[in-house]
Amino acid sequence: MAESKTPLLDELEKGAWPSFVTEMKKAAAKKENAKDLMQQLEKSYKDKIGYWKHGGIVGVKGYGGGVIGRYSARPDEFPNVAEFHTLRVNQVPGFFYTTKALRDLCETWDKYGSGLTNFHGSTGDIILLGTSTQNLQPCFDELSEKGWDLGGSGGGLRTPSGCVGMARCEFACIDSMDFVLEVTRHFQDALHRPAWPYKFKIKCSACPNDCAAATARSDLAIIGTWRDTLKIDQEAVREYVNNGFNIYGLVIGKCPTKALDWDAEKKELKFCAEDCVRCMNCINMMPKAISIGSERGATVLIGGKAPVVKSAFIGWVIVPFIKCEAPYTELFDLIAKITEYFDEHAKPRERIGELIYRVGMGNFLRAIGLPPVPQMVSAPRANPYIFWQDEEVVNRG
């Protein structure tokens, strides 16, 4: 039996989980660039050095983003990956595809690229891994003829993404798929022609369960919510309890603000609507008895991101409730004000959360015309970053 040329990569195929190495080997059987890719990666693992480098800007006509240039640092040893560029293809809202659309995409990619894909990257896009500079334009042209478009990259709007929302979720407060589609169309120029100091991500979850993890992964998170109170079916609650459901351990004790209590004598679930922070735990635990309110919209949070300049941030609430219905005029106007401020004031490679951290939330809110509200303060008297201005203080002398 011939000795393996990739013994270190082979180790990653061992174990219970599917391995990307297995898929790379399938591509390497048909594509020379995929074969060289494996050999270069094996060398990287052996030498503990990454053999990729930046060597210039590549793209397609009319677009400033959507293509990430990648070049091998050892083109003499691995000539078929001397150029190995990545295309980001704008994903479909909710990630719903027909098999025909996927076949069309893969046929084009097999023709012009390595055949390796990533559904979906952390950006949300369809990632097409590895093609040459001369194949970029014909590949994009063919994808465009089939109805596909490129996503975002660089210092601009990244491809908006969201959860499946109303397509499958009974808790959906807003149509996240429609919002993702319309925000992508509305801000096409910012998406395709990056002109900002750094990336800006918009993600949408249709309910506070936040299945898109928008609050942690996006500069601007749109989270579906309700303005009125929870709907409680007391008879259904009693049925849960009578069937042995641990209402104290799973619901009452888990409520972060103690907004719920169980009256054992009256067999009634008491609810203080003013204390509810819409964490969704009670709904998730008792979906037949508790449901979302009727007056639905969205909460807007800003500043979520992973570490770059500063630590990881979770988004701050800047709008507790806003209607989120087509044509989304009010919401799009707010996004435009935020991104204009970001464009004018951020430093290179500074995210909007880091910008707000630097200039102060009060200055940011005044610049975009939003009033401070109590929901912006997570711990009263502990993080008072909103201060009275001189003109707001009443002279009591």
Side-chain angles (χ1 to χ4, degrees):
M1 183 175 178
E3 184 179 351
S4 171
K5 295 182 179 179
T6 57
L8 297 178
L9 286 177
D10 294 346
E11 290 294 317
L12 298 178
E13 291 187 282
K14 299 176 181 179
W17 301 101
S19 172
F20 74 94
V21 175
T22 304
E23 303 308 314
M24 287 176 67
K25 287 181 177 179
K26 292 178 184 178
K30 300 183 291 182
K31 298 281 186 175
E32 290 299 318
N33 54 2
K35 186 183 298 184
D36 272 12
L37 175 67
M38 289 195 64
Q39 294 301 324
Q40 179 170 303
L41 187 58
E42 178 74 16
K43 182 177 177 64
S44 294
Y45 285 177
K46 181 180 179 181
D47 298 343
K48 297 181 173 61
I49 297 173
Y51 286 107
W52 295 110
K53 66 176 184 178
H54 296 286
I57 297 175
V58 290
V60 298
K61 294 177 182 177
Y63 285 64
V67 178
I68 295 89
R70 184 169 287 118
Y71 301 87
S72 172
R74 298 299 301 270
D76 53 329
E77 194 172 349
F78 310 108
N80 295 300
V81 291
E83 300 167 349
F84 203 73
H85 310 312
T86 291
L87 286 92
R88 288 180 178 168
V89 177
N90 198 319
Q91 83 281 353
V92 174
F95 308 134
F96 287 102
Y97 303 98
T98 64
T99 52
K100 181 182 183 306
L102 292 176
R103 287 193 181 97
D104 286 346
L105 180 79
C106 291
E107 285 172 3
T108 298
W109 188 233
D110 277 337
K111 186 189 301 184
Y112 294 107
S114 68
L116 292 167
T117 64
N118 180 354
F119 283 72
H120 291 268
S122 60
T123 61
D125 298 297
I126 300 170
I127 308 299
L128 304 183
L129 291 159
T131 190
S132 63
T133 303
Q134 67 178 9
N135 280 345
L136 282 174
Q137 191 64 47
C139 181
F140 167 72
D141 291 341
E142 188 166 310
L143 288 172
S144 184
E145 288 173 5
K146 293 179 177 180
W148 299 93
D149 197 3
L150 294 187
S153 68
L157 179 66
R158 295 299 178 85
T159 315
S161 64
C163 68
V164 298
M166 292 181 174
R168 293 192 64 182
C169 181
E170 62 186 302
F171 303 144
C173 301
I174 58 176
D175 191 340
S176 56
M177 291 174 61
D178 184 64
F179 172 78
V180 167
L181 178 64
E182 293 305 320
V183 78
T184 303
R185 287 173 169 169
H186 189 85
F187 293 99
Q188 280 284 293
D189 194 58
L191 182 68
H192 289 151
R193 296 164 188 86
W196 298 341
Y198 202 28
K199 67 181 81 169
F200 192 93
K201 298 180 179 180
I202 298 175
K203 298 187 188 297
C204 178
S205 291
C207 82
N209 275 322
D210 194 10
C211 291
T215 56
R217 300 195 306 131
S218 64
D219 298 276
L220 193 78
I222 311 298
I223 310 296
T225 188
W226 59 94
R227 183 152 54 182
D228 52 347
T229 65
L230 292 172
K231 298 176 183 176
I232 300 176
D233 183 338
Q234 296 291 350
E235 187 59 41
V237 173
R238 285 188 281 272
E239 186 177 343
Y240 270 100
V241 176
N242 292 338
N243 288 333
F245 180 77
N246 182 2
I247 194 168
Y248 287 104
L250 297 176
V251 177
I252 307 300
K254 299 285 187 180
C255 182
T257 57
K258 310 301 180 187
L260 293 167
D261 196 15
W262 174 246
D263 189 327
E265 291 185 7
K266 296 183 179 179
K267 292 189 178 298
E268 182 176 288
L269 184 64
K270 293 186 175 181
F271 174 56
C272 179
E274 292 81 4
D275 291 338
C276 179
V277 292
R278 295 157 178 76
C279 72
M280 293 288 289
N281 177 69
C282 61
I283 298 176
N284 295 331
M285 292 294 102
M286 307 171 70
K288 294 180 180 179
I290 307 175
S291 56
I292 60 178
S294 300
E295 190 178 357
R296 299 165 190 174
T299 295
V300 180
L301 299 95
I302 196 157
K305 70 171 191 71
V308 178
V309 177
K310 290 190 179 294
S311 64
F313 289 167
I314 297 290
W316 297 296
V317 172
I318 56 170
V319 180
F321 186 88
I322 188 172
K323 282 293 183 181
C324 189
E325 300 170 350
Y328 308 105
T329 304
E330 187 179 3
L331 199 45
F332 288 172
D333 286 346
L334 176 62
I335 294 172
K337 289 178 182 177
I338 291 170
T339 54
E340 284 171 11
Y341 182 84
F342 175 60
D343 185 24
E344 292 177 7
H345 294 87
K347 297 177 180 179
R349 295 187 65 80
E350 183 178 52
R351 299 285 285 272
I352 185 74
E354 292 159 340
L355 169 62
I356 294 171
Y357 190 90
R358 175 166 60 85
V359 303
M361 179 62 83
N363 291 327
F364 170 73
L365 292 174
R366 281 188 290 275
I368 64 172
L370 280 179
V373 292
Q375 288 88 340
M376 296 176 182
V377 181
S378 62
R381 300 177 189 268
N383 62 341
Y385 50 74
I386 306 297
F387 300 97
W388 292 106
Q389 299 301 298
D390 290 339
E391 63 273 13
E392 296 172 327
V393 179
V394 177
N395 187 349
R396 295 175 182 267

